[in-house]
Amino acid sequence: MGRRVNLIIYKQGFNKLRSNFNNSSMKHNQSKLIRTRVPQTPQHEHASPLFLTSSFTFDNAEDMRAAFADENDANIYSRFSNPSVQEFVDRLCVLENAEDGFATASGMSAVFGSFMALLKKGDHILSCNSIFGSTHTVISKYLPKYGIDFSYVGASANAAEWEAAITPQTKMIYLETPTNPGLDVVDISMVSAIAKKHNIILNVDNCFATPIGQTPIDLGADLVVHSATKWIDGQGRVLGGAVVGRKDLIHDIYLFCRSTGPSLSPFNAWVLSKSLETLEVRMDRHCSNALYIADKLQGHAKINFVKYPFLTTHPHYAIAQKQMKNGGGIVCFELKGGVESGRTFLNSLKMLSMTANLGDTRSIASHPASTTHAKLSEAERQAVSITPGLIRISVGLEHKDDILADILQALALS
Ligand SMILES: *Cc1c(COP(=O)(O)O)cnc(C)c1O
C-alpha cells in the first residue's frame, strides 16, 4: 500500500510557491536550479510531480473570491498558472538572473506575447534584420495590421546606426544573437546602453546561446525570450517557450497571456523543467563538439569559409569573446559550389539528420537557401548572411569524430 495522501497538508503547499533555496549555502545558479522545485507532496516523492490538471479547487467561497481578486497566490486555472509550469519558469529565472517570467506553448507565442502585451497602435519596434523567419513575419506582416510600425538595422550596425534608427515612437528594441542561421553576433551591452538612454525596452531572443552561453539581463536587457523547443528541451520532444525579465513587464505579459491563452502545457513544462537540470552539461559537450568541428573544417578545399562565434576568423569574434561563455552549438560553412552543392551535401550525409529542428542530441544539417529561406530574394538573403552554399550544422552529442567523419565524406561528394 502506498502512503495515503493527507489532504489537509496537501492543500497547504500548493499555491504558486517558489521553492526555497535562499536559506541555504548554495552559491551557484546550477545548484539553485537543481534544488528549485515545487513543494514535495505527502508522498515524499524525490522527482517533481506532474500537475496534469486544468483547474484547482477551493475550500470555500471566500477563498475562491480572494483568488479571483488576486489577493492571494492560489492557482485557479492552468491557463493562468500551474505548479509544473511555475517550476520551469522559476528554474529558467535562476539561470537567466531574471526577476520573473511566463512560460508559453512555443517560442513564437513568447515572442508574440511580448510584443502584443507591451506595444500599442502608433508604437514603433526597432529590430535587428537577422531574426528567426516567423519573428520576421510577425514584425513585418502582422504588427503593421495593428498599427505598430517597424524598421530594421543590420547585425553589424554600430552604435550610431542603431541610435539613428530610433524614432520618438520606438517602444521596443528587439534582437537575436547569435543570429539564425547566419551566426552574426550583436553587442548586447552596446544596444542596451542606447535603449536605456532613450527609455526603450530591450527584448533579446536568447535561444541560440541559451543562458549557459550568455545572460542578456546581466548585459542590460529588460526581457529575454526563449524557444524552449531547441536546446532547453535538447532532445527534440516538446514545443515550449518563455519570456523572463523585469517584473513589471512580465506582469503585463502575464495579464495578456492569461486572457489570450498561449500558456504552456503542464506536461511540456514538466519535461522542460527536467531538461534544465542537464542544460549545462549538455551545452558543454555540444559547444566543445562544435568548436572541434568548426576548427577541423577551416581551410577545407570545398569550403569558402567556416562561421562559428569562437573562431578567431569570425567577423564579430571580439564581441563573442566579451559576452559569451562559449561559442554555442551551431556551426555554419559555405560550400564553394553554391545551391547545387548544398543539395548534394545534404543528400550525401549518412548519419546527420535532415530536419527543421535544431538543438537536439542528434546532429542536424540544413541548407537555408533551398529550404527555410527559399522565399527570400538573393539580395534579401545576402543582407542576413545567407549565401547560396551556406550549410547550418546543429552539432549533437554523438562522438565528435563520427560527426566530423560524416561531414567530411559528404563534402568529398559535394
Ligand atoms: C525556433 C526559434 C524560435 C521559435 O520557436 P518555436 O518554439 O519553434 O515557436 C524563435 N527564435 C529562434 C532563434 C528560434 O530558433
Side-chain angles (χ1 to χ4, degrees):
M1 281 291 287
R3 199 188 283 249
R4 290 203 61 187
V5 173
N6 177 334
L7 278 173
I8 307 297
I9 299 174
Y10 193 87
K11 278 180 180 172
Q12 282 169 357
F14 286 87
N15 298 331
K16 285 184 276 174
L17 274 185
R18 304 208 153 197
S19 301
N20 185 0
F21 53 73
N22 294 331
N23 54 8
S24 89
S25 57
M26 287 181 276
K27 290 193 179 65
H28 300 280
N29 281 350
Q30 177 63 13
S31 315
K32 291 178 187 171
L33 145 76
I34 295 258
R35 291 289 164 177
T36 295
R37 53 157 298 168
V38 290
Q40 203 176 36
T41 78
Q43 297 295 332
H44 289 232
E45 71 285 347
H46 192 208
S48 295
L50 163 56
F51 290 90
L52 202 55
T53 179
S54 317
S55 66
F56 303 84
T57 60
F58 300 92
D59 286 340
N60 53 59
E62 170 53 22
D63 283 359
M64 192 164 182
R65 183 207 61 77
F68 274 82
D70 267 336
E71 289 170 15
N72 62 35
D73 246 0
N75 291 300
I76 299 173
Y77 188 59
S78 286
R79 171 150 45 77
F80 307 174
S81 68
N82 172 286
S84 297
V85 175
Q86 194 60 39
E87 183 188 273
F88 168 62
V89 170
D90 288 345
R91 287 177 162 192
L92 190 59
C93 287
V94 167
L95 288 185
E96 289 284 7
N97 293 323
E99 290 173 359
D100 208 350
F102 187 82
T104 54
S106 67
M108 282 321 302
S109 46
V111 170
F112 185 64
S114 73
F115 292 166
M116 294 312 276
L118 301 171
L119 299 174
K120 62 178 190 311
K121 185 177 169 192
D123 287 347
H124 171 256
I125 179 170
L126 176 61
S127 174
C128 179
N129 66 354
S130 300
I131 47 173
F132 186 66
S134 297
T135 308
H136 165 67
T137 304
V138 168
I139 289 179
S140 62
K141 182 175 173 189
Y142 292 108
L143 292 188
K145 279 179 66 172
Y146 301 96
I148 300 159
D149 197 12
F150 72 96
S151 53
Y152 285 135
V153 296
S156 300
N158 61 27
E161 288 163 326
W162 274 98
E163 198 153 15
I166 290 170
T167 78
Q169 282 70 44
T170 308
K171 289 283 152 56
M172 183 182 283
I173 294 179
Y174 185 83
L175 62 90
E176 201 179 295
T177 178
T179 65
N180 178 13
L183 290 184
D184 289 314
V185 178
V186 181
D187 188 333
I188 299 173
S189 301
M190 177 190 81
V191 180
S192 77
I194 296 165
K196 283 203 180 6
K197 181 174 157 197
H198 294 270
N199 202 19
I200 296 168
I201 298 163
L202 175 61
N203 190 356
V204 177
D205 182 334
N206 200 27
C207 171
F208 261 42
T210 84
I212 306 303
Q214 75 191 4
T215 44
I217 289 170
D218 295 334
L219 303 170
D222 300 291
L223 291 173
V224 167
V225 289
H226 270 290
S227 167
T229 317
K230 312 291 171 52
W231 302 105
I232 289 179
D233 173 55
Q235 290 143 92
R237 301 164 300 180
V238 299
L239 272 86
V243 194
V244 300
R246 252 171 59 190
K247 208 176 180 62
D248 58 325
L249 301 177
I250 294 296
H251 188 66
D252 286 341
I253 292 166
Y254 159 72
L255 292 176
F256 174 80
C257 290
R258 91 175 225 175
S259 292
T260 54
S263 316
L264 181 63
S265 141
F267 177 77
N268 287 12
W270 179 78
V271 170
L272 293 169
S273 186
K274 198 70 188 161
S275 297
L276 282 179
E277 296 183 1
T278 56
L279 183 64
E280 184 178 54
V281 287
R282 287 186 285 109
M283 290 315 294
D284 280 355
R285 181 62 64 84
H286 282 295
C287 298
S288 63
N289 281 359
L291 180 60
Y292 177 77
I293 284 158
D295 191 49
K296 292 281 184 205
L297 290 177
Q298 285 211 99
H300 190 283
K302 296 277 177 76
I303 291 176
N304 274 331
F305 63 81
V306 180
K307 208 161 170 190
Y308 183 70
F310 269 30
L311 284 184
T312 52
T313 51
H314 189 288
H316 311 127
Y317 175 72
I319 304 169
Q321 286 292 312
K322 185 178 70 163
Q323 72 186 21
M324 298 173 74
K325 295 190 199 80
N326 57 52
I330 306 282
V331 175
C332 288
F333 53 85
E334 197 206 31
L335 295 167
K336 286 183 178 162
V339 175
E340 266 322 301
S341 287
R343 286 184 213 266
T344 312
F345 176 80
L346 287 191
N347 285 332
S348 306
L349 289 166
K350 294 194 170 113
M351 183 183 82
L352 270 66
S353 311
M354 248 188 273
T355 179
N357 199 16
L358 64 89
D360 200 327
T361 55
R362 295 177 173 149
S363 296
I364 295 163
S366 70
H367 179 226
S370 71
T371 58
T372 46
H373 295 73
K375 289 200 191 94
L376 272 64
S377 70
E378 194 55 46
E380 285 172 322
R381 278 195 290 271
Q382 284 287 350
V384 291
S385 300
I386 301 170
T387 47
L390 190 79
I391 296 289
R392 185 189 76 186
I393 307 285
S394 169
V395 179
L397 300 180
E398 304 97 339
H399 194 282
K400 60 187 179 184
D401 286 323
D402 286 331
I403 305 170
L404 182 66
D406 196 31
I407 294 170
L408 291 177
Q409 67 79 27
L411 279 176
L413 302 169
S414 310

PDB file of all heavy atoms in Angstrom, residues 334-361:
ATOM      1  N   GLU A 334      30.227  27.644 -45.772  1.00  0.00           N
ATOM      2  CA  GLU A 334      29.729  27.891 -47.124  1.00  0.00           C
ATOM      3  C   GLU A 334      30.457  27.034 -48.142  1.00  0.00           C
ATOM      4  O   GLU A 334      31.686  27.074 -48.249  1.00  0.00           O
ATOM      5  CB  GLU A 334      29.871  29.361 -47.500  1.00  0.00           C
ATOM      6  CG  GLU A 334      29.002  29.662 -48.695  1.00  0.00           C
ATOM      7  CD  GLU A 334      29.485  30.828 -49.523  1.00  0.00           C
ATOM      8  OE1 GLU A 334      30.705  31.070 -49.592  1.00  0.00           O
ATOM      9  OE2 GLU A 334      28.622  31.491 -50.115  1.00  0.00           O
ATOM     10  N   LEU A 335      29.660  26.275 -48.889  1.00  0.00           N
ATOM     11  CA  LEU A 335      30.226  25.419 -49.935  1.00  0.00           C
ATOM     12  C   LEU A 335      30.548  26.272 -51.155  1.00  0.00           C
ATOM     13  O   LEU A 335      29.760  27.123 -51.562  1.00  0.00           O
ATOM     14  CB  LEU A 335      29.200  24.346 -50.316  1.00  0.00           C
ATOM     15  CG  LEU A 335      28.863  23.338 -49.218  1.00  0.00           C
ATOM     16  CD1 LEU A 335      27.622  22.542 -49.579  1.00  0.00           C
ATOM     17  CD2 LEU A 335      30.044  22.415 -48.991  1.00  0.00           C
ATOM     18  N   LYS A 336      31.702  25.985 -51.746  1.00  0.00           N
ATOM     19  CA  LYS A 336      32.110  26.766 -52.924  1.00  0.00           C
ATOM     20  C   LYS A 336      31.139  26.560 -54.080  1.00  0.00           C
ATOM     21  O   LYS A 336      30.928  27.437 -54.898  1.00  0.00           O
ATOM     22  CB  LYS A 336      33.521  26.364 -53.355  1.00  0.00           C
ATOM     23  CG  LYS A 336      34.588  26.911 -52.415  1.00  0.00           C
ATOM     24  CD  LYS A 336      35.990  26.573 -52.888  1.00  0.00           C
ATOM     25  CE  LYS A 336      37.018  27.193 -51.946  1.00  0.00           C
ATOM     26  NZ  LYS A 336      38.350  26.577 -52.085  1.00  0.00           N
ATOM     27  N   GLY A 337      30.527  25.381 -54.150  1.00  0.00           N
ATOM     28  CA  GLY A 337      29.649  25.053 -55.281  1.00  0.00           C
ATOM     29  C   GLY A 337      28.239  25.625 -55.228  1.00  0.00           C
ATOM     30  O   GLY A 337      27.412  25.291 -56.077  1.00  0.00           O
ATOM     31  N   GLY A 338      27.907  26.462 -54.230  1.00  0.00           N
ATOM     32  CA  GLY A 338      26.611  27.132 -54.190  1.00  0.00           C
ATOM     33  C   GLY A 338      25.443  26.191 -53.918  1.00  0.00           C
ATOM     34  O   GLY A 338      25.589  25.147 -53.278  1.00  0.00           O
ATOM     35  N   VAL A 339      24.247  26.599 -54.442  1.00  0.00           N
ATOM     36  CA  VAL A 339      22.996  25.896 -54.128  1.00  0.00           C
ATOM     37  C   VAL A 339      23.069  24.409 -54.479  1.00  0.00           C
ATOM     38  O   VAL A 339      22.674  23.550 -53.678  1.00  0.00           O
ATOM     39  CB  VAL A 339      21.805  26.548 -54.870  1.00  0.00           C
ATOM     40  CG1 VAL A 339      20.519  25.748 -54.649  1.00  0.00           C
ATOM     41  CG2 VAL A 339      21.594  27.969 -54.361  1.00  0.00           C
ATOM     42  N   GLU A 340      23.578  24.079 -55.654  1.00  0.00           N
ATOM     43  CA  GLU A 340      23.601  22.668 -56.067  1.00  0.00           C
ATOM     44  C   GLU A 340      24.474  21.823 -55.136  1.00  0.00           C
ATOM     45  O   GLU A 340      24.099  20.713 -54.765  1.00  0.00           O
ATOM     46  CB  GLU A 340      24.076  22.536 -57.533  1.00  0.00           C
ATOM     47  CG  GLU A 340      22.932  22.496 -58.519  1.00  0.00           C
ATOM     48  CD  GLU A 340      21.710  21.700 -58.024  1.00  0.00           C
ATOM     49  OE1 GLU A 340      21.866  20.492 -57.728  1.00  0.00           O
ATOM     50  OE2 GLU A 340      20.611  22.270 -57.912  1.00  0.00           O
ATOM     51  N   SER A 341      25.614  22.362 -54.749  1.00  0.00           N
ATOM     52  CA  SER A 341      26.474  21.642 -53.803  1.00  0.00           C
ATOM     53  C   SER A 341      25.786  21.467 -52.459  1.00  0.00           C
ATOM     54  O   SER A 341      25.967  20.450 -51.789  1.00  0.00           O
ATOM     55  CB  SER A 341      27.783  22.404 -53.566  1.00  0.00           C
ATOM     56  OG  SER A 341      28.602  22.294 -54.665  1.00  0.00           O
ATOM     57  N   GLY A 342      24.981  22.459 -52.087  1.00  0.00           N
ATOM     58  CA  GLY A 342      24.250  22.383 -50.818  1.00  0.00           C
ATOM     59  C   GLY A 342      23.321  21.188 -50.808  1.00  0.00           C
ATOM     60  O   GLY A 342      23.280  20.411 -49.851  1.00  0.00           O
ATOM     61  N   ARG A 343      22.591  21.025 -51.916  1.00  0.00           N
ATOM     62  CA  ARG A 343      21.676  19.876 -52.022  1.00  0.00           C
ATOM     63  C   ARG A 343      22.446  18.565 -52.028  1.00  0.00           C
ATOM     64  O   ARG A 343      22.055  17.603 -51.370  1.00  0.00           O
ATOM     65  CB  ARG A 343      20.910  19.952 -53.338  1.00  0.00           C
ATOM     66  CG  ARG A 343      19.833  20.996 -53.401  1.00  0.00           C
ATOM     67  CD  ARG A 343      19.167  20.778 -54.769  1.00  0.00           C
ATOM     68  NE  ARG A 343      18.700  22.015 -55.339  1.00  0.00           N
ATOM     69  CZ  ARG A 343      17.453  22.446 -55.184  1.00  0.00           C
ATOM     70  NH1 ARG A 343      16.610  21.769 -54.458  1.00  0.00           N
ATOM     71  NH2 ARG A 343      17.072  23.578 -55.738  1.00  0.00           N
ATOM     72  N   THR A 344      23.526  18.514 -52.799  1.00  0.00           N
ATOM     73  CA  THR A 344      24.320  17.283 -52.876  1.00  0.00           C
ATOM     74  C   THR A 344      24.873  16.925 -51.507  1.00  0.00           C
ATOM     75  O   THR A 344      24.885  15.754 -51.116  1.00  0.00           O
ATOM     76  CB  THR A 344      25.496  17.466 -53.874  1.00  0.00           C
ATOM     77  OG1 THR A 344      24.970  18.040 -55.058  1.00  0.00           O
ATOM     78  CG2 THR A 344      26.169  16.152 -54.191  1.00  0.00           C
ATOM     79  N   PHE A 345      25.321  17.956 -50.793  1.00  0.00           N
ATOM     80  CA  PHE A 345      25.868  17.717 -49.449  1.00  0.00           C
ATOM     81  C   PHE A 345      24.818  17.037 -48.564  1.00  0.00           C
ATOM     82  O   PHE A 345      25.091  16.018 -47.930  1.00  0.00           O
ATOM     83  CB  PHE A 345      26.344  19.039 -48.827  1.00  0.00           C
ATOM     84  CG  PHE A 345      26.831  18.889 -47.414  1.00  0.00           C
ATOM     85  CD1 PHE A 345      28.110  18.413 -47.145  1.00  0.00           C
ATOM     86  CD2 PHE A 345      25.994  19.195 -46.346  1.00  0.00           C
ATOM     87  CE1 PHE A 345      28.548  18.253 -45.828  1.00  0.00           C
ATOM     88  CE2 PHE A 345      26.427  19.034 -45.033  1.00  0.00           C
ATOM     89  CZ  PHE A 345      27.708  18.559 -44.786  1.00  0.00           C
ATOM     90  N   LEU A 346      23.607  17.608 -48.545  1.00  0.00           N
ATOM     91  CA  LEU A 346      22.550  17.027 -47.698  1.00  0.00           C
ATOM     92  C   LEU A 346      22.251  15.584 -48.111  1.00  0.00           C
ATOM     93  O   LEU A 346      22.110  14.691 -47.270  1.00  0.00           O
ATOM     94  CB  LEU A 346      21.259  17.851 -47.789  1.00  0.00           C
ATOM     95  CG  LEU A 346      21.214  19.212 -47.092  1.00  0.00           C
ATOM     96  CD1 LEU A 346      19.783  19.733 -47.058  1.00  0.00           C
ATOM     97  CD2 LEU A 346      21.761  19.160 -45.673  1.00  0.00           C
ATOM     98  N   ASN A 347      22.166  15.361 -49.428  1.00  0.00           N
ATOM     99  CA  ASN A 347      21.839  14.004 -49.919  1.00  0.00           C
ATOM    100  C   ASN A 347      22.950  12.996 -49.638  1.00  0.00           C
ATOM    101  O   ASN A 347      22.710  11.793 -49.660  1.00  0.00           O
ATOM    102  CB  ASN A 347      21.550  14.043 -51.426  1.00  0.00           C
ATOM    103  CG  ASN A 347      20.179  14.638 -51.706  1.00  0.00           C
ATOM    104  OD1 ASN A 347      19.280  14.545 -50.885  1.00  0.00           O
ATOM    105  ND2 ASN A 347      20.038  15.275 -52.867  1.00  0.00           N
ATOM    106  N   SER A 348      24.159  13.472 -49.403  1.00  0.00           N
ATOM    107  CA  SER A 348      25.297  12.563 -49.198  1.00  0.00           C
ATOM    108  C   SER A 348      25.514  12.200 -47.725  1.00  0.00           C
ATOM    109  O   SER A 348      26.339  11.341 -47.420  1.00  0.00           O
ATOM    110  CB  SER A 348      26.581  13.216 -49.736  1.00  0.00           C
ATOM    111  OG  SER A 348      26.401  13.616 -51.071  1.00  0.00           O
ATOM    112  N   LEU A 349      24.794  12.866 -46.823  1.00  0.00           N
ATOM    113  CA  LEU A 349      25.003  12.585 -45.399  1.00  0.00           C
ATOM    114  C   LEU A 349      24.476  11.190 -45.038  1.00  0.00           C
ATOM    115  O   LEU A 349      23.433  10.769 -45.527  1.00  0.00           O
ATOM    116  CB  LEU A 349      24.279  13.638 -44.542  1.00  0.00           C
ATOM    117  CG  LEU A 349      24.901  15.038 -44.576  1.00  0.00           C
ATOM    118  CD1 LEU A 349      23.926  16.052 -43.995  1.00  0.00           C
ATOM    119  CD2 LEU A 349      26.229  15.067 -43.825  1.00  0.00           C
ATOM    120  N   LYS A 350      25.222  10.492 -44.202  1.00  0.00           N
ATOM    121  CA  LYS A 350      24.806   9.146 -43.794  1.00  0.00           C
ATOM    122  C   LYS A 350      24.267   9.135 -42.362  1.00  0.00           C
ATOM    123  O   LYS A 350      23.400   8.343 -42.035  1.00  0.00           O
ATOM    124  CB  LYS A 350      25.986   8.189 -43.887  1.00  0.00           C
ATOM    125  CG  LYS A 350      26.461   7.986 -45.329  1.00  0.00           C
ATOM    126  CD  LYS A 350      27.383   6.783 -45.418  1.00  0.00           C
ATOM    127  CE  LYS A 350      27.671   6.418 -46.858  1.00  0.00           C
ATOM    128  NZ  LYS A 350      29.077   6.640 -47.192  1.00  0.00           N
ATOM    129  N   MET A 351      24.823   9.981 -41.500  1.00  0.00           N
ATOM    130  CA  MET A 351      24.395   9.963 -40.098  1.00  0.00           C
ATOM    131  C   MET A 351      23.575  11.210 -39.732  1.00  0.00           C
ATOM    132  O   MET A 351      22.517  11.096 -39.122  1.00  0.00           O
ATOM    133  CB  MET A 351      25.620   9.881 -39.173  1.00  0.00           C
ATOM    134  CG  MET A 351      25.240   9.775 -37.695  1.00  0.00           C
ATOM    135  SD  MET A 351      26.667   9.760 -36.594  1.00  0.00           S
ATOM    136  CE  MET A 351      27.034  11.514 -36.471  1.00  0.00           C
ATOM    137  N   LEU A 352      24.024  12.391 -40.080  1.00  0.00           N
ATOM    138  CA  LEU A 352      23.332  13.614 -39.691  1.00  0.00           C
ATOM    139  C   LEU A 352      21.903  13.616 -40.236  1.00  0.00           C
ATOM    140  O   LEU A 352      21.654  13.154 -41.346  1.00  0.00           O
ATOM    141  CB  LEU A 352      24.078  14.855 -40.211  1.00  0.00           C
ATOM    142  CG  LEU A 352      25.129  15.436 -39.256  1.00  0.00           C
ATOM    143  CD1 LEU A 352      26.281  14.474 -39.044  1.00  0.00           C
ATOM    144  CD2 LEU A 352      25.632  16.772 -39.756  1.00  0.00           C
ATOM    145  N   SER A 353      20.971  14.165 -39.426  1.00  0.00           N
ATOM    146  CA  SER A 353      19.559  14.204 -39.821  1.00  0.00           C
ATOM    147  C   SER A 353      19.282  15.438 -40.664  1.00  0.00           C
ATOM    148  O   SER A 353      19.880  16.491 -40.473  1.00  0.00           O
ATOM    149  CB  SER A 353      18.658  14.263 -38.589  1.00  0.00           C
ATOM    150  OG  SER A 353      19.011  13.281 -37.654  1.00  0.00           O
ATOM    151  N   MET A 354      18.315  15.278 -41.578  1.00  0.00           N
ATOM    152  CA  MET A 354      17.785  16.410 -42.338  1.00  0.00           C
ATOM    153  C   MET A 354      16.433  16.714 -41.721  1.00  0.00           C
ATOM    154  O   MET A 354      15.471  15.977 -41.932  1.00  0.00           O
ATOM    155  CB  MET A 354      17.560  15.978 -43.789  1.00  0.00           C
ATOM    156  CG  MET A 354      18.457  16.623 -44.789  1.00  0.00           C
ATOM    157  SD  MET A 354      17.923  16.193 -46.449  1.00  0.00           S
ATOM    158  CE  MET A 354      18.772  14.666 -46.698  1.00  0.00           C
ATOM    159  N   THR A 355      16.361  17.754 -40.914  1.00  0.00           N
ATOM    160  CA  THR A 355      15.106  18.080 -40.234  1.00  0.00           C
ATOM    161  C   THR A 355      15.097  19.559 -39.886  1.00  0.00           C
ATOM    162  O   THR A 355      16.151  20.194 -39.864  1.00  0.00           O
ATOM    163  CB  THR A 355      14.926  17.187 -38.972  1.00  0.00           C
ATOM    164  OG1 THR A 355      13.710  17.549 -38.311  1.00  0.00           O
ATOM    165  CG2 THR A 355      16.064  17.344 -37.988  1.00  0.00           C
ATOM    166  N   ALA A 356      13.886  20.096 -39.624  1.00  0.00           N
ATOM    167  CA  ALA A 356      13.744  21.547 -39.409  1.00  0.00           C
ATOM    168  C   ALA A 356      14.197  21.984 -38.020  1.00  0.00           C
ATOM    169  O   ALA A 356      14.439  23.149 -37.790  1.00  0.00           O
ATOM    170  CB  ALA A 356      12.298  21.960 -39.631  1.00  0.00           C
ATOM    171  N   ASN A 357      14.299  21.077 -37.085  1.00  0.00           N
ATOM    172  CA  ASN A 357      14.628  21.470 -35.715  1.00  0.00           C
ATOM    173  C   ASN A 357      16.128  21.731 -35.560  1.00  0.00           C
ATOM    174  O   ASN A 357      16.921  21.466 -36.469  1.00  0.00           O
ATOM    175  CB  ASN A 357      14.169  20.371 -34.750  1.00  0.00           C
ATOM    176  CG  ASN A 357      14.032  20.870 -33.314  1.00  0.00           C
ATOM    177  OD1 ASN A 357      13.992  22.069 -33.056  1.00  0.00           O
ATOM    178  ND2 ASN A 357      13.963  19.949 -32.385  1.00  0.00           N
ATOM    179  N   LEU A 358      16.509  22.218 -34.396  1.00  0.00           N
ATOM    180  CA  LEU A 358      17.922  22.335 -34.043  1.00  0.00           C
ATOM    181  C   LEU A 358      18.019  22.161 -32.540  1.00  0.00           C
ATOM    182  O   LEU A 358      17.017  22.193 -31.832  1.00  0.00           O
ATOM    183  CB  LEU A 358      18.494  23.686 -34.496  1.00  0.00           C
ATOM    184  CG  LEU A 358      17.932  24.972 -33.877  1.00  0.00           C
ATOM    185  CD1 LEU A 358      18.671  25.383 -32.623  1.00  0.00           C
ATOM    186  CD2 LEU A 358      17.990  26.097 -34.878  1.00  0.00           C
ATOM    187  N   GLY A 359      19.228  21.951 -32.042  1.00  0.00           N
ATOM    188  CA  GLY A 359      19.403  21.820 -30.603  1.00  0.00           C
ATOM    189  C   GLY A 359      18.972  20.469 -30.084  1.00  0.00           C
ATOM    190  O   GLY A 359      18.332  20.371 -29.046  1.00  0.00           O
ATOM    191  N   ASP A 360      19.337  19.417 -30.771  1.00  0.00           N
ATOM    192  CA  ASP A 360      18.966  18.054 -30.401  1.00  0.00           C
ATOM    193  C   ASP A 360      20.234  17.268 -30.064  1.00  0.00           C
ATOM    194  O   ASP A 360      21.341  17.685 -30.429  1.00  0.00           O
ATOM    195  CB  ASP A 360      18.246  17.409 -31.602  1.00  0.00           C
ATOM    196  CG  ASP A 360      17.386  16.212 -31.220  1.00  0.00           C
ATOM    197  OD1 ASP A 360      17.745  15.482 -30.278  1.00  0.00           O
ATOM    198  OD2 ASP A 360      16.369  15.997 -31.900  1.00  0.00           O
ATOM    199  N   THR A 361      20.063  16.114 -29.399  1.00  0.00           N
ATOM    200  CA  THR A 361      21.205  15.232 -29.168  1.00  0.00           C
ATOM    201  C   THR A 361      21.754  14.712 -30.496  1.00  0.00           C
ATOM    202  O   THR A 361      22.924  14.365 -30.603  1.00  0.00           O
ATOM    203  CB  THR A 361      20.807  14.012 -28.317  1.00  0.00           C
ATOM    204  OG1 THR A 361      19.711  13.354 -28.959  1.00  0.00           O
ATOM    205  CG2 THR A 361      20.393  14.423 -26.911  1.00  0.00           C
TER     206      THR A 361
END
